[in-house]
């Protein structure tokens, strides 16, 4: 994998308008792992791309009426088959974390990068997802002032509001996989 201007060259690019500039050219130093599925518990379909680009049709599913207006996007999504989709350059401030804090600092969007895994809190993620996540994480660890201790879950930075990536996410497996490349 390679990065060019904060974009992973091999990712499928779906540019989102849901970002702005980081404060004072802040260099991102935190990686947040999320999950998402639309409708909840269902996989596939164009819905996540549409939500993250502000084009989700509110009438396509009863659940969508509540979320179609949201202006949100992660930097990347890893689908069940391991496909990598990128919506926002890592150098820009994507709107994925919401009200949040890490190590005493609020507004994690300012200084973090967000990766969504297509999934739910309780269903095991796929081998292909762990494989792609390892590759992306290795790339980000190489290019940004990131450490293993600064890779965390959405539920850790917004514990009152969020549960993702949930107990289904195997942190030991994931961190062991990147530790081999980044001792
Ligand atoms: Zn999340």
């Amino acid at each position: 994998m390679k990065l060019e201007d904060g974009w992973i060259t091999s990712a499928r690019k779906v540019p989102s308008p849901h970002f702005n500039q980081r404060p004072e050219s802040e260099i991102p130093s935190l990686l947040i792992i999320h999950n998402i599925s639309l409708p909840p518990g269902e996989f596939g379909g164009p819905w996540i791309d549409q939500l993250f680009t502000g084009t989700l049709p509110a009438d396509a599913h009863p659940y969508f009426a509540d979320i179609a207006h949201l202006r949100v996007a992660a930097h990347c999504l890893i689908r069940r088959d391991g496909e990598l989709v990128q919506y926002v350059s890592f150098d820009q401030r994507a709107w994925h974390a919401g009200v949040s804090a890490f190590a005493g600092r609020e507004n994690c969007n300012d200084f973090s990068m967000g990766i969504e895994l297509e999934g739910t809190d309780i269903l095991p993620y796929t081998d292909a997802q762990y494989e792609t996540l390892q590759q992306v994480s290795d790339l980000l660890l190489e290019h940004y002032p990131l450490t293993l201790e600064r890779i965390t879950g959405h539920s850790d930075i917004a514990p009152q509001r969020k549960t993702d990536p949930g107990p289904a996410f195997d942190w030991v497996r994931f961190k062991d996989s990147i530790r081999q490349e980044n001792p």
Side-chain angles (χ1 to χ4, degrees):
M1 278 189 187
K2 288 198 309 185
L3 268 180
E4 279 179 12
D5 297 326
W7 292 88
I8 296 173
T9 55
S10 58
R12 179 164 64 85
K13 290 173 190 59
V14 182
S16 166
H18 299 166
F19 71 91
N20 59 355
Q21 285 202 330
R22 295 187 186 276
E24 294 165 18
S25 304
E26 170 115 20
I27 298 170
S29 59
L30 181 69
L31 177 59
I32 307 297
I33 309 298
H34 300 260
N35 74 33
I36 186 170
S37 56
L38 290 179
E42 295 184 27
F43 304 139
W47 316 120
I48 300 170
D49 288 355
Q50 292 180 346
L51 176 67
F52 286 173
T53 54
T55 59
L56 183 68
D59 57 358
H61 184 278
Y63 180 74
F64 297 170
D66 291 333
I67 60 166
H69 67 284
L70 296 176
R71 301 193 71 204
V72 294
H75 291 91
C76 288
L77 166 71
I78 300 173
R79 303 214 71 146
R80 299 299 288 183
D81 63 358
E83 184 196 22
L84 181 64
V85 188
Q86 188 165 1
Y87 304 94
V88 175
S89 164
F90 292 111
D91 297 334
Q92 300 287 347
R93 180 180 179 277
W95 303 337
H96 62 96
V99 176
S100 55
F102 181 83
R105 184 175 175 189
E106 297 188 337
N107 299 314
C108 293
N109 283 342
D110 287 350
F111 57 99
S112 72
M113 302 172 277
I115 297 181
E116 300 273 0
L117 301 172
E118 186 179 24
T120 73
D121 288 3
I122 54 171
L123 191 74
Y125 297 94
T126 69
D127 291 344
Q129 288 180 302
Y130 283 105
E131 173 74 19
T132 300
L133 182 60
Q134 180 222 315
Q135 293 173 7
V136 175
S137 300
D138 287 339
L139 186 70
L140 298 180
L141 282 158
E142 182 183 332
H143 281 82
Y144 294 100
L146 191 64
T147 62
L148 290 177
E149 292 70 35
R150 294 183 66 86
I151 302 177
T152 192
H154 200 188
S155 57
D156 296 303
I157 61 163
Q160 312 298 328
R161 300 185 305 114
K162 296 294 177 179
T163 59
D164 60 316
F169 186 67
D170 189 338
W171 282 101
V172 173
R173 172 181 178 170
F174 166 54
K175 290 215 169 175
D176 278 353
S177 74
I178 50 178
R179 199 169 273 122
Q180 291 168 10
E181 297 290 324
N182 307 276

